[in-house]
Amino acid sequence: MNDERYTVISADCHAGADLLDYRPYLDKRHHDEFDAWAATYVNPYEDLVADTADRNWNSERRLAELEADGIVAEVVFPNTIPPFFPSGSLMAPAPSTADFERRWAGLRAHNRWLADFCEAAPGRRAGVFQILLNDVDEAVREIRRASRAGLTGGVLLPGTPPGSGLPELYSSAYDPIWAVCEELGVVVNHHGGSASPPLGDEPAARAVFMVETTWFSHRALWHLVFGGAFRRHPGLRLVLTEQGSGWIPGVLDMLDYYHGRLVPAATKASTAESKFGAGLAARMGERPSRVWRDNCFVGASFMRPHEVPLRERIGVEKIMWGSDYPHDEGTHPYSREGLRYAYAGVPRDEVAAMVGGNAARVYGFDLDALDAIAAKVGPAVTELAEPLAQPPADATSPVFAKGASLRVW
């Protein structure tokens, strides 16, 4: 941040190739299968067949729209469907070994495309690459390859929803993944919406999904904490993105309570309580709030005003704002207004950390280089200090929705 403008880095954006543009990134032995698959594939997502879908892959358009929104760099999560997947879910059932092989090929194609997409805007995109959890050795190989390819956004950790048939995330089966991420300094990202079980087609399914999806995503935190991943790999870093942030203080209090209750109980005579804590102290180590302080961050996306007063309990140095571009629920093209709505009245150094400084530190952006761009396009310090009187009439982000925060219009 310079004296007059903020350097804004969105810690939550999404991109992907147009369907047929993945073909050159596939190994040639998969080209015929890809042609057959693509010829019959029907995209289930309206935004990926709309006239605006090219925001996912049109580099020049994307840079222009983000700059107009006051954003100079982005962490890029996937968005479009990788080859050979029936939907956007990385946990969609794969009936056979051959299906898994094709899906791995599809994810590698996406990761290769993403590396080129990031190279098209040097220093301004940190690409988040994808893996599957069905083959830990293959996941480790892909983490090494993607890291060498310059994808600095880290790895996207899939969920293990009920019915997936995979070990839970607390399982030591995933230790080779945590080990290679610690070794290479690769950030582990867990994005909201990636851990929910299928809910069927009943009318209530979407409403239930909305109620439950963030909770299922939060589970990665307590699974890795109680599973001891951070004790065995103290350099491991976890980012929880687009899951909100207001829940964090209460959940940390709850996890500390169980840690403080079960660990001592395990040292006592054999009781029902002691059985629940057996082996926990040796496995997980520090209390959860300490693990959060040392190892975890939140991609808070379009942070809501009622979450901002909790920033000290969350940790100002842990919070990374994101616009969720190009999603309809994101703040584009009203990111400046969204930032004003959330951060007006907050000390300037804290705003600078949450809207850019923290993301630069976690994902390795060069702030000095980005400051030069922000000097031309970043939101003014005086602008964000001014409270927003009314939301834009045509804004689609829920950050502006009445009832979405404790501040009432």
Side-chain angles (χ1 to χ4, degrees):
M1 184 192 76
N2 59 37
D3 291 338
E4 297 181 354
R5 294 183 183 270
Y6 288 109
T7 299
V8 181
I9 300 170
S10 173
D12 181 26
C13 289
H14 297 265
D18 198 2
L19 186 66
L20 298 181
D21 289 342
Y22 278 124
R23 191 179 192 273
Y25 293 94
L26 283 165
D27 294 338
K28 289 184 178 179
R29 62 192 177 93
H30 292 292
H31 282 184
D32 289 345
E33 288 179 300
F34 174 78
D35 293 342
W37 172 81
T40 60
Y41 182 76
V42 177
N43 200 309
Y45 299 109
E46 292 180 3
D47 63 314
L48 296 182
V49 294
D51 293 339
T52 56
D54 74 316
R55 291 184 296 180
N56 285 282
W57 56 80
N58 185 327
S59 183
E60 292 183 2
R61 174 178 183 173
R62 190 179 183 96
L63 285 172
E65 291 191 352
L66 288 174
E67 286 186 3
D69 226 16
I71 297 168
V72 298
E74 56 176 331
V75 179
V76 186
F77 286 85
N79 198 43
T80 60
I81 309 300
F84 305 120
F85 278 75
S87 71
S89 173
L90 296 189
M91 300 316 305
S96 68
T97 301
D99 287 318
F100 268 123
E101 181 183 353
R102 283 188 287 269
R103 291 186 191 181
W104 268 110
L107 291 192
R108 286 191 292 268
H110 169 82
N111 295 341
R112 291 165 181 157
W113 173 88
L114 183 60
D116 281 353
F117 188 69
C118 291
E119 283 187 11
R124 301 183 66 176
R125 292 175 182 151
V128 179
F129 58 88
Q130 301 186 76
I131 60 170
L132 293 173
L133 295 178
N134 72 300
D135 185 332
V136 170
D137 291 339
E138 183 61 30
V140 169
R141 284 191 289 270
E142 185 59 18
I143 290 168
R144 290 191 180 279
R145 192 208 63 77
S147 180
R148 289 195 302 269
L151 289 171
T152 58
V155 62
L156 178 61
L157 177 66
T160 56
S164 68
L166 292 169
E168 296 284 2
L169 288 177
Y170 54 70
S171 172
S172 59
Y174 301 121
D175 259 13
I177 294 176
W178 316 142
V180 72
C181 287
E182 180 184 37
E183 173 195 341
L184 300 176
V186 170
V187 177
V188 175
N189 303 277
H190 192 59
H191 194 280
S194 65
S196 299
L199 294 172
D201 299 321
E202 293 289 330
R206 290 194 177 190
V208 171
F209 174 84
M210 289 297 293
V211 171
E212 296 180 346
T213 185
T214 53
W215 183 87
F216 275 108
S217 297
H218 300 344
R219 293 174 78 220
L221 174 62
W222 52 82
H223 276 231
L224 268 65
V225 168
F226 282 104
F230 300 105
R231 181 181 183 275
R232 296 188 297 279
H233 308 285
L236 187 67
R237 292 175 296 165
L238 174 69
V239 178
L240 303 172
T241 298
E242 202 175 334
Q243 306 176 26
S245 59
W247 59 276
I248 292 169
V251 165
L252 291 178
D253 288 346
M254 177 192 70
L255 298 181
D256 277 355
Y257 164 75
Y258 280 109
H259 177 265
R261 173 180 163 184
L262 296 176
V263 169
T267 65
K268 299 177 181 177
S270 180
T271 64
E273 193 85 334
S274 69
K275 293 175 182 176
F276 280 103
L280 196 60
R283 186 171 181 83
M284 70 170 289
E286 297 287 351
R287 67 187 186 278
S289 59
R290 175 65 180 267
V291 175
W292 174 267
R293 188 191 74 183
D294 292 345
N295 301 90
C296 303
F297 303 85
V298 58
S301 296
F302 30 81
M303 200 172 186
R304 294 164 172 80
H306 71 276
E307 296 172 310
V308 176
L310 298 171
R311 65 190 183 278
E312 291 185 2
R313 294 181 63 195
I314 298 168
V316 172
E317 75 283 2
K318 300 292 182 181
I319 298 168
M320 300 180 288
W321 177 89
S323 71
D324 200 27
Y325 176 94
H327 289 167
D328 288 343
E329 65 268 26
T331 53
H332 177 267
Y334 298 114
S335 292
R336 297 169 187 271
E337 288 80 1
L339 289 166
R340 286 175 59 193
Y341 184 37
Y343 294 127
V346 175
R348 188 176 71 173
D349 61 331
E350 296 185 15
V351 176
M354 291 186 286
V355 305
N358 295 336
R361 175 167 46 89
V362 172
Y363 293 105
F365 288 102
D366 183 342
L367 265 184
D368 289 337
L370 294 177
D371 283 348
I373 304 170
K376 301 176 183 178
V377 304
V381 171
T382 54
E383 178 185 2
L384 297 197
E386 183 68 25
L388 187 67
Q390 290 290 335
D394 58 343
T396 56
S397 174
V399 72
F400 299 116
K402 291 183 178 180
S405 76
L406 298 183
R407 182 180 293 180
V408 179
W409 296 107

